Every structure is written in C-alpha cells, then in structure tokens.
Amino acid sequence: MRKSPFQTSQARETFDILLMASSFEHEISLLFLHEGVLQLLRPQEVVALLNSKNFTSAYQALGLYDIKNVYISTQDLVDCGLASADLSILAAPLNDVEISALMQQQDIIFNV
C-alpha cells in the first residue's frame, strides 16, 4: 500500500482486493510504504474535512480475515514524522533490506 488513504479511491479498492484474496485462503503479507503509512494513522480526522467515508478503521479487522502479516517501512514512518504509537494497528517495522527480502519471498505482488 503506497497511496494516501484519501487522495484517490485506490487505497479503498486495494483493501477490497485484499479481503477478496484472503477469502481464497491465500497467505497475505501487507506492506505499507511511502504515503501509504498514513492509512494506519489513528484517528482519521481528515475524513471530516474531506467529506469522505473512513474505511481505514476496517484495518482493525484484518485478523478476522486471517491476515496477520502486516508490515510498515521504518524509513517512511520517520519521513512522515510518525512513530509506531501513532498507528491504529500493530505493524512490524521493516528497514529497506528487510523489505527487499520480504518482497522476494512473495509469489504475487500488487504494487499500488
């Protein structure tokens, strides 16, 4: 997930794809990069300003869909001036080397 949560509908659409893939019992790893780290912020007060529906609170239900491998770029957190305590869910922080290794382990990558 690379996109800001409210810039376009892409973040919401990708989340829907994620849930659909989980229903087919695929093991899913979810990585938040670049502006995508903003999807995990709590609370999403910007929604009221943009008159947009907040879907990001649904990330708290990932465990119900058996999605347990959630990661976030340590560098992108720092670049956005954020810390793990600012996030609405637990995401394992990864550095660039660990992100590269994670991507090499995947069969399919959706780069959105």
Side-chain angles (χ1 to χ4, degrees), residues 38-109:
L38 300 175
Q39 292 185 40
L40 296 183
L41 281 179
R42 64 173 176 174
Q44 294 285 348
E45 294 154 353
V46 72
V47 175
L49 297 173
L50 297 175
N51 195 25
S52 176
K53 186 175 180 179
N54 182 2
F55 77 91
T56 58
S57 60
Y59 284 123
Q60 295 175 359
L62 289 176
L64 297 174
Y65 293 92
D66 206 26
I67 299 171
K68 297 176 176 77
N69 303 321
V70 181
Y71 306 96
I72 194 160
S73 166
T74 304
Q75 185 59 52
D76 293 333
L77 272 177
V78 170
D79 290 348
C80 290
L82 301 172
S84 293
D86 298 319
L87 306 179
S88 61
I89 64 170
L90 292 177
L94 299 179
N95 62 36
D96 290 342
V97 172
E98 293 167 321
I99 289 171
S100 179
L102 175 68
M103 288 187 176
Q104 290 178 9
Q105 296 169 3
Q106 306 307 305
D107 293 326
I108 299 171
I109 296 177

Side-chain angles (χ1 to χ4, degrees), residues 10-21:
Q10 191 172 23
R12 172 60 196 203
E13 291 166 0
T14 303
F15 182 76
D16 290 341
I17 290 169
L18 173 75
L19 296 184
M20 182 183 68

